[in-house]
Amino acid sequence: MALALPLTPPRSWSPVLPVVAVIALIALPVTPGGEGGAGPADALSALVVLFCAVRLLRRRARPLSRRAAVLLGMPVAGLTLAALGASSAGAGTTGLGRYLQIFVLVPAAVLLLVRDARDFRLLAWAFVALAGWQGAVGVHQFVTGTGASYQGEEIRAVGTFGPQDVMGMATVVSFGLICSVGLALGRSVARERLIAAVCAGALLVPLALSFSRGAWIATALTCTVQLVLAGLRRALKVGAVVAALGIILVGGFGVGSAMLQERVSSITQVTDAPDQSVTDRYTMWAAAIGMWREQPLTGVGLKGFPEHRDTHASLALSSGSDTEGAGSAYVKQPLLSPHNMYLLILSEQGLIGLLALAGGWLALLTCALRNLIRVRGTQRGGLDCALVACGLSVWQLTDFMYADIGGPSTVLTAVCLGLIAWWALVGPSAPEGAAAR
């Protein structure tokens, strides 16, 4: 008679592993001189959407709830109108596909593939790992002088993204830092919280060396919000530790202290003595508002900002941004967007598009905060997931005031929106170790 071993069957493979693969592909170096179009991660994200659809059909699972379908589907109407108003069918189709990928299809797929808090944490740790890799490359670039050009020196940390996408590494590191802070402040295992706290402290260095003012502002605000949501007493303690680390790194060891101080001080000088990058940004913002005034409801059409830019921009706008270093030769990069997501939507999609997209983002943040308050007052798990989701939402809404979509890291925005949507619409009702839907 065979002896029955008391073995429990292993947990099935997580359906979010393809999403982890999408995150991992962002670690691949970008081809020098590339135009920032669709990359391997974007192609795999399309396969993730297909995988999710096939999985739903095979399991005959119920698709999105009514509320989720409304919130994630709101942008479709505005995007369709803007695509019809594009200057050409090709531009409208390309723009529509990109927006649907980032703001509708991939977020919905992530929402449906995440089964429980463990799947959510797996994706959060994947963000931390990617940030650690990109941050390590960025620090090496600063130390060895092989980064992107900054004030005549090739010291700007850009990771594997190259000088054509100087915001790429800053975005990835910010996502990893926010996930680390959320995981460290949650109610998970003490060892995991300690590892997450160490990762958060380490990621401060490459974030500083990115010299990205927008990422600094968004990350500082987001981490403050996360600390306050986790508890005021804890916020004060962690704030004191972060301040001490900053003094040690910058004041004690002199980690880029002169340039960092100059970069920080430039944040308050954008109206008194702005540099050319700030002047260009303000000029493009004014151009975007001018486009919106001409077509207030539907905008000038998807991919229409570059075509209408010169008509509405003043002579203060430069011919482009100078980029070089990090393995790339000197390139004059054209300014094809206002570097403000809200103004980009307003100029190309009008009020209809802005209300549909931004309204959905604010609704998801409201639901996420409500669910965070619900779990914080109980002993139920999920506080770390709540802090990560709310943090990613606050960071994205803040960063969109200084940046817009574009570049290889854009697909990560879609994954973040999927995580936010899962916590806002499903999270608290999904028990730990729930069976796959």
Side-chain angles (χ1 to χ4, degrees):
M1 184 175 63
L3 179 64
L5 297 176
L7 297 176
T8 58
R11 191 172 185 242
S12 60
W13 288 100
S14 173
V16 300
L17 289 179
V19 185
V20 174
V22 171
I23 298 174
L25 283 180
I26 302 297
L28 297 177
V30 177
T31 303
E35 297 297 328
D42 295 289
L44 184 56
S45 71
L47 295 179
V48 169
V49 174
L50 180 61
F51 167 73
C52 179
V54 172
R55 184 171 181 269
L56 289 175
L57 291 174
R58 288 188 59 187
R59 303 175 72 90
R60 297 183 180 179
R62 189 181 68 176
L64 298 171
S65 65
R66 181 178 301 176
R67 182 170 60 171
V70 169
L71 292 181
L72 292 178
M74 281 173 57
V76 176
L79 289 171
T80 302
L81 287 175
L84 293 175
S87 59
S88 66
T93 302
T94 302
L96 179 62
R98 184 63 160 166
Y99 273 95
L100 289 178
Q101 173 205 6
I102 302 302
F103 298 115
V104 180
L105 298 177
V106 175
V110 174
L111 167 62
L112 291 168
L113 292 175
V114 174
R115 300 174 297 180
D116 52 31
R118 286 191 285 186
D119 285 345
F120 186 103
R121 294 185 188 109
L122 176 61
L123 292 177
W125 279 112
F127 272 107
V128 176
L130 175 63
W133 162 249
Q134 292 289 354
V137 174
V139 172
H140 178 267
Q141 291 170 335
F142 176 83
V143 173
T144 60
T146 57
S149 179
Y150 178 77
Q151 295 186 355
E153 300 182 59
E154 296 186 355
I155 58 171
R156 187 169 190 175
V158 292
T160 63
F161 295 98
Q164 284 78 32
D165 186 15
V166 294
M167 283 293 296
M169 191 210 74
T171 299
V172 170
V173 170
S174 297
F175 286 157
L177 180 57
I178 292 165
C179 290
S180 297
V181 171
L183 293 168
L185 296 175
R187 299 196 186 106
S188 54
V189 180
R191 184 179 62 179
E192 294 181 3
R193 295 201 305 269
L194 177 60
I195 295 174
V198 171
C199 291
L203 289 174
L204 289 173
V205 178
L207 179 62
L209 299 180
S210 70
F211 296 104
S212 174
R213 291 169 293 197
W216 290 351
I217 295 171
T219 305
L221 174 63
T222 300
C223 291
T224 301
V225 171
Q226 286 179 301
L227 290 170
V228 172
L229 291 175
L232 187 58
R233 182 180 301 178
R234 183 181 296 181
L236 294 175
K237 292 180 180 178
V238 176
V241 172
V242 172
L245 286 174
I247 293 174
I248 293 173
L249 288 174
V250 178
F253 296 104
V255 180
S257 56
M259 290 185 176
L260 287 176
Q261 290 173 6
E262 181 181 350
R263 192 67 167 170
V264 171
S265 63
S266 68
I267 295 175
T268 60
Q269 297 172 352
V270 293
T271 56
D272 298 332
D275 55 30
Q276 186 59 48
S277 65
V278 175
T279 300
D280 287 339
R281 182 163 301 189
Y282 282 173
T283 304
M284 291 189 293
W285 287 4
I289 294 175
M291 297 177 202
W292 165 67
R293 286 174 176 168
E294 285 190 359
Q295 300 287 340
L297 288 181
T298 58
V300 298
L302 293 181
K303 299 286 187 178
F305 182 88
E307 181 179 349
H308 294 80
R309 183 199 63 183
D310 293 339
T311 305
H312 298 84
S314 69
L315 296 177
L317 182 66
S318 66
S319 59
S321 176
D322 298 335
T323 63
E324 63 179 326
S328 297
Y330 173 82
V331 175
K332 177 73 76 171
Q333 189 172 8
L335 304 175
L336 302 179
S337 71
H339 296 293
N340 181 306
M341 191 65 200
Y342 304 110
L343 291 180
L344 177 63
I345 296 172
L346 192 65
S347 63
E348 294 187 346
Q349 303 177 41
L351 282 175
I352 296 176
L354 181 63
L355 291 175
L357 276 165
W361 301 336
L362 289 174
L364 288 176
L365 176 58
T366 301
C367 294
L369 289 172
R370 184 184 61 184
N371 290 336
L372 181 147
I373 295 173
R374 184 187 306 174
V375 301
R376 191 177 63 176
T378 66
Q379 295 301 317
R380 294 177 56 189
L383 180 61
D384 51 351
C385 300
L387 293 172
V388 169
C390 293
L392 291 174
S393 181
V394 171
W395 190 91
Q396 200 65 78
L397 290 175
T398 305
D399 185 71
F400 273 163
M401 292 189 289
Y402 308 95
D404 47 47
I405 59 174
S409 62
T410 300
V411 70
L412 295 180
T413 299
V415 178
C416 287
L417 288 174
L419 290 175
I420 296 165
W422 181 84
W423 174 256
L425 304 172
V426 179
S429 61
E432 293 275 353
R437 288 193 294 267

